[in-house]
Amino acid sequence: MALRHAVLAALLDGERSGYQLAKAFDMGMANFWHALPQQLYAELAKLEREGLVAGREVVQEARPNKRLFTVTDAGSAELQRFAATPSKPSFIRDDLLVKVAAADSVDPAELISRLEERAEASRAKLDLFDGLLATMRGDLDEDEFLARGTGIGPYLTCLRGRVFESENRDWCERAAAVLRSRTRLPAE
């Protein structure tokens, strides 16, 4: 997958500025695709040159002018083509796992601290996902929303992010407990 497909998907909800796109990435796409704001701005320019998005200038009085972008028919066709291609298997690339792999040779107290930090970060993301999911559902319970709600794609990806962070939290807590018990370090 290229950044272009993630940007096109993020623009499906409607017209957005580069700033709004960066915020949308932080809130929705970040659980499966990370991009820096400058990467998003560069990709928007490229997509516009290729005719996959259309931009328009909005003149503002008290602020600098801004550009708003929407997906074109060609951009929608590109997303259709992308959706029809086989997906590659995902893989984990995580520096914390490298640190844990070296557990027999590094300071266990430091490693436990890193695991606890990651568990706490996952707990914070879980709270964020829970809030996003509740906002997307509105007055519907989850089963009703899954059966007939609108915006099912973002909801399903948010659910996947929630499961991912829940598993991260659980694994970090378990790994820290194992290391603590093996080294007889007190729980924090």
Side-chain angles (χ1 to χ4, degrees):
M1 175 174 75
L3 177 58
R4 70 183 20 234
H5 301 114
V7 170
L8 289 169
L11 288 173
L12 289 175
D13 289 336
E15 193 173 54
R16 288 192 167 141
S17 68
Y19 176 79
Q20 291 167 322
L21 180 65
K23 289 295 180 196
F25 256 73
D26 283 347
M27 299 301 283
M29 299 283 186
N31 66 69
F32 58 91
W33 191 271
H34 175 73
L36 298 171
Q38 57 266 37
Q39 292 172 301
L40 295 173
Y41 284 103
E43 192 63 33
L44 280 170
K46 184 177 175 186
L47 290 169
E48 187 173 25
R49 281 192 308 273
E50 294 175 11
L52 301 177
V53 300
R56 70 178 179 92
E57 186 96 6
V58 175
V59 177
Q60 301 184 110
E61 288 186 30
R63 297 180 182 161
N65 294 345
K66 67 180 178 179
R67 290 191 57 74
L68 296 177
F69 298 89
T70 56
V71 177
T72 63
D73 289 344
S76 292
E78 173 59 19
L79 273 175
Q80 286 292 336
R81 185 202 61 73
F82 172 69
T85 61
S87 295
K88 297 176 184 173
S90 60
F91 60 91
I92 299 173
R93 185 175 174 168
D94 187 337
D95 67 335
L96 182 59
L97 290 176
V98 174
K99 294 172 185 180
V100 172
D104 296 318
S105 301
V106 299
D107 179 1
E110 286 297 324
L111 190 50
I112 290 166
S113 291
R114 300 300 75 77
L115 288 161
E116 290 171 341
E117 289 168 358
R118 179 70 62 86
E120 183 55 38
S122 290
R123 280 190 284 279
K125 279 189 156 184
L126 284 167
D127 290 343
L128 176 67
F129 283 130
D130 287 341
L132 288 170
L133 290 166
T135 298
M136 285 187 245
R137 279 192 312 269
D139 294 334
L140 301 176
D141 69 25
E142 186 160 273
D143 289 336
E144 289 176 298
F145 184 83
L146 291 172
R148 60 185 177 91
T150 59
I152 195 66
Y155 193 87
L156 289 172
T157 58
C158 194
L159 273 180
R160 177 63 186 115
R162 193 192 187 295
V163 169
F164 177 79
E165 292 302 337
S166 178
E167 290 172 348
N168 275 340
R169 178 205 56 208
D170 295 348
W171 178 81
C172 287
E173 289 173 350
R174 182 173 186 200
V178 166
L179 292 172
R180 194 176 289 106
S181 72
R182 291 173 59 93
T183 57
R184 303 198 193 307
L185 290 172
E188 303 228 354

